[in-house]
Amino acid sequence: MEFKDYYRILGVGEDADRKAVKTAYRRLARKYHPDVSDDKDAEARFKEVSEAYEVLSDEKKRAEYDELRKYGRGGESFEPPPGWQRRSAGGDAGTDQDFSEFFSSMFGGGFRDARAERGPHSSEDFFSTRGRDVEVEMPVFLEETLEAQKKTIEYQLPRYDQSGRSTPQHKTLRVNIPAGVRDGSRIRLRGQGAPGFGDGAAGDLYLRIRLVPHPLFDVLGHDLNITVPIAPWEAALGAKVTVPTLEGKVQLTIEPGSQTGQRLRLRGKGLKHRDRRGDLYAVLKVVMPEKMDAETRSHWEALAEKQAFNPRSEWENAS
């Protein structure tokens, strides 16, 4: 098995006192705790640092380790000397945490629970750190932004034990979505993020609002656009057409001689913004029939002969 050089792991000298060992442990544990670090090897390093501290902070274990250290160095294959019998194994060695083979062989395989020995609120050997914030996307339909909503969200949080191992924690919340939310806006839920370590507070949950694309409406800030197809005769003669909104249908008047691209405003039919509403813009689009029979064609031909109209006359003026 591989010999573990616990002094090297903590970065302390062989003559380091207990305070220096504790200081080194707290610094490295903060650095590598999986709830804090983004290092890909953070969990393994955290376990290694915790294991080193478990030995060097305990007077009896450290004395045994110093005796063993005479026979091995870090990274080398190691076997205990003939006749070696570990003397510190006992009541604190029965946990199922995954410590190194070296530790298990030398000291019985388990860490003592220092918090149980010193009381649940002691910070003698363990630091406290706030849990990570968590961000979750929350899809919201345009219609749902007009009034406050209650929505259910499900997400998972990491939960770490003292050795740094994580187990997923499933969580379900019923959350309030205020009226007028916009795409990309965030809602903060205090204390609903990842749990803290030690006595640290839990992080926060942030809901990132994602407006679900609507099949008819395009969002422009707090305003909406809708393309309104009209027939050529409706554009020429005028008409009243039914237009959908987020709250139902309304009648829209098309003036005679209307053009493709013309925008008609429907006040207060857009998205909610504080104490007011945006507008809905109906963008006209003249659409030809897909099929044309002989009679219809003859009407168009007669119209073309009678009309002295050149839709591209502005090109001639420009040249």
Side-chain angles (χ1 to χ4, degrees), residues 127-150:
F127 67 87
S128 297
T129 186
R130 180 179 180 275
R132 279 186 177 180
D133 293 336
V134 175
E135 184 169 288
V136 177
E137 287 197 351
M138 168 64 74
V140 177
F141 292 102
L142 294 186
E143 294 87 344
E144 293 177 323
T145 67
L146 301 182
E147 301 290 341
Q149 303 286 329
K150 281 189 174 293

mmCIF file of all heavy atoms in Angstrom, residues 127-150:
data_model
loop_
_atom_site.group_PDB
_atom_site.id
_atom_site.type_symbol
_atom_site.label_atom_id
_atom_site.label_comp_id
_atom_site.label_asym_id
_atom_site.label_seq_id
_atom_site.Cartn_x
_atom_site.Cartn_y
_atom_site.Cartn_z
ATOM 1 N N PHE A 127 -14.439 24.045 10.444
ATOM 2 C CA PHE A 127 -14.833 25.392 10.085
ATOM 3 C C PHE A 127 -16.282 25.403 9.634
ATOM 4 O O PHE A 127 -16.875 24.384 9.343
ATOM 5 C CB PHE A 127 -13.934 25.927 8.958
ATOM 6 C CG PHE A 127 -14.102 25.206 7.653
ATOM 7 C CD1 PHE A 127 -15.081 25.604 6.750
ATOM 8 C CD2 PHE A 127 -13.299 24.129 7.315
ATOM 9 C CE1 PHE A 127 -15.259 24.952 5.559
ATOM 10 C CE2 PHE A 127 -13.473 23.471 6.112
ATOM 11 C CZ PHE A 127 -14.447 23.885 5.236
ATOM 12 N N SER A 128 -16.845 26.583 9.606
ATOM 13 C CA SER A 128 -18.192 26.759 9.081
ATOM 14 C C SER A 128 -18.120 27.619 7.836
ATOM 15 O O SER A 128 -17.385 28.610 7.807
ATOM 16 C CB SER A 128 -19.096 27.448 10.116
ATOM 17 O OG SER A 128 -19.237 26.650 11.262
ATOM 18 N N THR A 129 -18.855 27.248 6.828
ATOM 19 C CA THR A 129 -18.871 28.054 5.609
ATOM 20 C C THR A 129 -20.267 28.030 5.015
ATOM 21 O O THR A 129 -20.986 27.025 5.119
ATOM 22 C CB THR A 129 -17.849 27.537 4.578
ATOM 23 O OG1 THR A 129 -17.796 28.432 3.469
ATOM 24 C CG2 THR A 129 -18.221 26.152 4.063
ATOM 25 N N ARG A 130 -20.644 29.139 4.423
ATOM 26 C CA ARG A 130 -21.972 29.267 3.834
ATOM 27 C C ARG A 130 -22.099 28.370 2.615
ATOM 28 O O ARG A 130 -21.151 28.183 1.857
ATOM 29 C CB ARG A 130 -22.205 30.731 3.440
ATOM 30 C CG ARG A 130 -23.549 31.034 2.821
ATOM 31 C CD ARG A 130 -23.634 32.523 2.504
ATOM 32 N NE ARG A 130 -24.907 32.879 1.893
ATOM 33 C CZ ARG A 130 -25.167 32.780 0.593
ATOM 34 N NH1 ARG A 130 -24.249 32.320 -0.226
ATOM 35 N NH2 ARG A 130 -26.351 33.128 0.113
ATOM 36 N N GLY A 131 -23.284 27.814 2.423
ATOM 37 C CA GLY A 131 -23.521 26.954 1.266
ATOM 38 C C GLY A 131 -23.554 27.745 -0.036
ATOM 39 O O GLY A 131 -23.736 28.970 -0.046
ATOM 40 N N ARG A 132 -23.381 27.047 -1.122
ATOM 41 C CA ARG A 132 -23.384 27.686 -2.438
ATOM 42 C C ARG A 132 -24.783 28.168 -2.814
ATOM 43 O O ARG A 132 -25.784 27.576 -2.450
ATOM 44 C CB ARG A 132 -22.924 26.695 -3.504
ATOM 45 C CG ARG A 132 -21.423 26.527 -3.605
ATOM 46 C CD ARG A 132 -21.088 25.638 -4.781
ATOM 47 N NE ARG A 132 -19.665 25.493 -4.965
ATOM 48 C CZ ARG A 132 -19.111 24.767 -5.935
ATOM 49 N NH1 ARG A 132 -19.892 24.129 -6.788
ATOM 50 N NH2 ARG A 132 -17.809 24.686 -6.050
ATOM 51 N N ASP A 133 -24.813 29.250 -3.575
ATOM 52 C CA ASP A 133 -26.062 29.659 -4.209
ATOM 53 C C ASP A 133 -26.353 28.737 -5.389
ATOM 54 O O ASP A 133 -25.435 28.226 -6.034
ATOM 55 C CB ASP A 133 -25.968 31.108 -4.701
ATOM 56 C CG ASP A 133 -25.853 32.100 -3.561
ATOM 57 O OD1 ASP A 133 -26.290 31.772 -2.448
ATOM 58 O OD2 ASP A 133 -25.313 33.199 -3.783
ATOM 59 N N VAL A 134 -27.611 28.530 -5.661
ATOM 60 C CA VAL A 134 -28.040 27.645 -6.747
ATOM 61 C C VAL A 134 -28.957 28.437 -7.670
ATOM 62 O O VAL A 134 -29.795 29.211 -7.208
ATOM 63 C CB VAL A 134 -28.789 26.408 -6.190
ATOM 64 C CG1 VAL A 134 -29.336 25.546 -7.323
ATOM 65 C CG2 VAL A 134 -27.853 25.588 -5.304
ATOM 66 N N GLU A 135 -28.781 28.254 -8.973
ATOM 67 C CA GLU A 135 -29.645 28.931 -9.940
ATOM 68 C C GLU A 135 -30.412 27.893 -10.753
ATOM 69 O O GLU A 135 -29.829 26.929 -11.245
ATOM 70 C CB GLU A 135 -28.827 29.824 -10.879
ATOM 71 C CG GLU A 135 -29.693 30.622 -11.841
ATOM 72 C CD GLU A 135 -28.906 31.689 -12.584
ATOM 73 O OE1 GLU A 135 -28.529 32.688 -11.943
ATOM 74 O OE2 GLU A 135 -28.654 31.509 -13.787
ATOM 75 N N VAL A 136 -31.707 28.081 -10.869
ATOM 76 C CA VAL A 136 -32.584 27.161 -11.595
ATOM 77 C C VAL A 136 -33.439 27.976 -12.561
ATOM 78 O O VAL A 136 -33.937 29.044 -12.208
ATOM 79 C CB VAL A 136 -33.507 26.386 -10.614
ATOM 80 C CG1 VAL A 136 -34.472 25.486 -11.381
ATOM 81 C CG2 VAL A 136 -32.672 25.568 -9.639
ATOM 82 N N GLU A 137 -33.576 27.482 -13.786
ATOM 83 C CA GLU A 137 -34.413 28.175 -14.753
ATOM 84 C C GLU A 137 -35.889 27.871 -14.502
ATOM 85 O O GLU A 137 -36.267 26.730 -14.230
ATOM 86 C CB GLU A 137 -34.040 27.768 -16.184
ATOM 87 C CG GLU A 137 -32.714 28.352 -16.640
ATOM 88 C CD GLU A 137 -32.554 28.306 -18.149
ATOM 89 O OE1 GLU A 137 -33.395 27.666 -18.825
ATOM 90 O OE2 GLU A 137 -31.593 28.908 -18.666
ATOM 91 N N MET A 138 -36.706 28.925 -14.586
ATOM 92 C CA MET A 138 -38.143 28.801 -14.369
ATOM 93 C C MET A 138 -38.874 29.248 -15.633
ATOM 94 O O MET A 138 -38.901 30.434 -15.959
ATOM 95 C CB MET A 138 -38.576 29.655 -13.179
ATOM 96 C CG MET A 138 -40.081 29.835 -13.045
ATOM 97 S SD MET A 138 -40.950 28.273 -12.712
ATOM 98 C CE MET A 138 -40.516 28.011 -10.995
ATOM 99 N N PRO A 139 -39.452 28.301 -16.393
ATOM 100 C CA PRO A 139 -40.205 28.699 -17.591
ATOM 101 C C PRO A 139 -41.535 29.346 -17.221
ATOM 102 O O PRO A 139 -42.245 28.860 -16.337
ATOM 103 C CB PRO A 139 -40.411 27.374 -18.334
ATOM 104 C CG PRO A 139 -40.344 26.322 -17.273
ATOM 105 C CD PRO A 139 -39.402 26.834 -16.224
ATOM 106 N N VAL A 140 -41.859 30.443 -17.893
ATOM 107 C CA VAL A 140 -43.096 31.169 -17.626
ATOM 108 C C VAL A 140 -43.734 31.539 -18.962
ATOM 109 O O VAL A 140 -43.061 32.060 -19.858
ATOM 110 C CB VAL A 140 -42.834 32.452 -16.803
ATOM 111 C CG1 VAL A 140 -44.123 33.238 -16.594
ATOM 112 C CG2 VAL A 140 -42.203 32.106 -15.458
ATOM 113 N N PHE A 141 -45.029 31.262 -19.118
ATOM 114 C CA PHE A 141 -45.751 31.645 -20.323
ATOM 115 C C PHE A 141 -46.075 33.140 -20.275
ATOM 116 O O PHE A 141 -46.245 33.723 -19.205
ATOM 117 C CB PHE A 141 -47.038 30.830 -20.461
ATOM 118 C CG PHE A 141 -46.804 29.369 -20.729
ATOM 119 C CD1 PHE A 141 -46.931 28.436 -19.702
ATOM 120 C CD2 PHE A 141 -46.449 28.929 -21.996
ATOM 121 C CE1 PHE A 141 -46.715 27.085 -19.940
ATOM 122 C CE2 PHE A 141 -46.235 27.575 -22.248
ATOM 123 C CZ PHE A 141 -46.362 26.662 -21.218
ATOM 124 N N LEU A 142 -46.182 33.748 -21.455
ATOM 125 C CA LEU A 142 -46.477 35.181 -21.516
ATOM 126 C C LEU A 142 -47.769 35.505 -20.774
ATOM 127 O O LEU A 142 -47.856 36.513 -20.068
ATOM 128 C CB LEU A 142 -46.583 35.646 -22.966
ATOM 129 C CG LEU A 142 -45.319 35.589 -23.821
ATOM 130 C CD1 LEU A 142 -45.579 36.218 -25.182
ATOM 131 C CD2 LEU A 142 -44.162 36.295 -23.137
ATOM 132 N N GLU A 143 -48.765 34.667 -20.932
ATOM 133 C CA GLU A 143 -50.043 34.914 -20.271
ATOM 134 C C GLU A 143 -49.894 34.929 -18.750
ATOM 135 O O GLU A 143 -50.649 35.600 -18.051
ATOM 136 C CB GLU A 143 -51.064 33.850 -20.676
ATOM 137 C CG GLU A 143 -51.464 33.876 -22.144
ATOM 138 C CD GLU A 143 -50.533 33.067 -23.039
ATOM 139 O OE1 GLU A 143 -49.404 32.727 -22.581
ATOM 140 O OE2 GLU A 143 -50.901 32.779 -24.174
ATOM 141 N N GLU A 144 -48.927 34.161 -18.225
ATOM 142 C CA GLU A 144 -48.751 34.060 -16.775
ATOM 143 C C GLU A 144 -48.084 35.295 -16.175
ATOM 144 O O GLU A 144 -48.088 35.467 -14.959
ATOM 145 C CB GLU A 144 -47.915 32.821 -16.446
ATOM 146 C CG GLU A 144 -48.615 31.510 -16.765
ATOM 147 C CD GLU A 144 -47.745 30.310 -16.499
ATOM 148 O OE1 GLU A 144 -46.516 30.392 -16.746
ATOM 149 O OE2 GLU A 144 -48.274 29.278 -16.053
ATOM 150 N N THR A 145 -47.494 36.144 -17.019
ATOM 151 C CA THR A 145 -46.819 37.334 -16.487
ATOM 152 C C THR A 145 -47.785 38.454 -16.133
ATOM 153 O O THR A 145 -47.396 39.434 -15.497
ATOM 154 C CB THR A 145 -45.793 37.870 -17.507
ATOM 155 O OG1 THR A 145 -46.477 38.373 -18.663
ATOM 156 C CG2 THR A 145 -44.819 36.779 -17.930
ATOM 157 N N LEU A 146 -49.038 38.325 -16.547
ATOM 158 C CA LEU A 146 -49.994 39.414 -16.315
ATOM 159 C C LEU A 146 -50.465 39.469 -14.869
ATOM 160 O O LEU A 146 -50.872 40.524 -14.380
ATOM 161 C CB LEU A 146 -51.205 39.260 -17.248
ATOM 162 C CG LEU A 146 -50.882 39.265 -18.750
ATOM 163 C CD1 LEU A 146 -52.168 39.157 -19.552
ATOM 164 C CD2 LEU A 146 -50.095 40.510 -19.137
ATOM 165 N N GLU A 147 -50.438 38.338 -14.177
ATOM 166 C CA GLU A 147 -50.845 38.273 -12.777
ATOM 167 C C GLU A 147 -49.824 37.453 -11.996
ATOM 168 O O GLU A 147 -49.112 36.627 -12.560
ATOM 169 C CB GLU A 147 -52.237 37.633 -12.638
ATOM 170 C CG GLU A 147 -53.347 38.350 -13.388
ATOM 171 C CD GLU A 147 -53.697 39.703 -12.791
ATOM 172 O OE1 GLU A 147 -53.340 39.932 -11.605
ATOM 173 O OE2 GLU A 147 -54.312 40.522 -13.495
ATOM 174 N N ALA A 148 -49.749 37.695 -10.682
ATOM 175 C CA ALA A 148 -48.867 36.895 -9.835
ATOM 176 C C ALA A 148 -49.293 35.426 -9.900
ATOM 177 O O ALA A 148 -50.481 35.115 -9.968
ATOM 178 C CB ALA A 148 -48.902 37.410 -8.400
ATOM 179 N N GLN A 149 -48.301 34.538 -9.882
ATOM 180 C CA GLN A 149 -48.572 33.112 -10.007
ATOM 181 C C GLN A 149 -47.887 32.344 -8.875
ATOM 182 O O GLN A 149 -46.871 32.775 -8.332
ATOM 183 C CB GLN A 149 -48.031 32.584 -11.342
ATOM 184 C CG GLN A 149 -48.560 33.288 -12.577
ATOM 185 C CD GLN A 149 -49.986 32.898 -12.889
ATOM 186 O OE1 GLN A 149 -50.406 31.770 -12.611
ATOM 187 N NE2 GLN A 149 -50.730 33.831 -13.473
ATOM 188 N N LYS A 150 -48.446 31.193 -8.547
ATOM 189 C CA LYS A 150 -47.782 30.233 -7.672
ATOM 190 C C LYS A 150 -47.413 29.031 -8.526
ATOM 191 O O LYS A 150 -48.272 28.443 -9.176
ATOM 192 C CB LYS A 150 -48.693 29.800 -6.516
ATOM 193 C CG LYS A 150 -48.769 30.805 -5.381
ATOM 194 C CD LYS A 150 -49.496 30.209 -4.189
ATOM 195 C CE LYS A 150 -49.451 31.137 -2.987
ATOM 196 N NZ LYS A 150 -48.092 31.283 -2.452
#
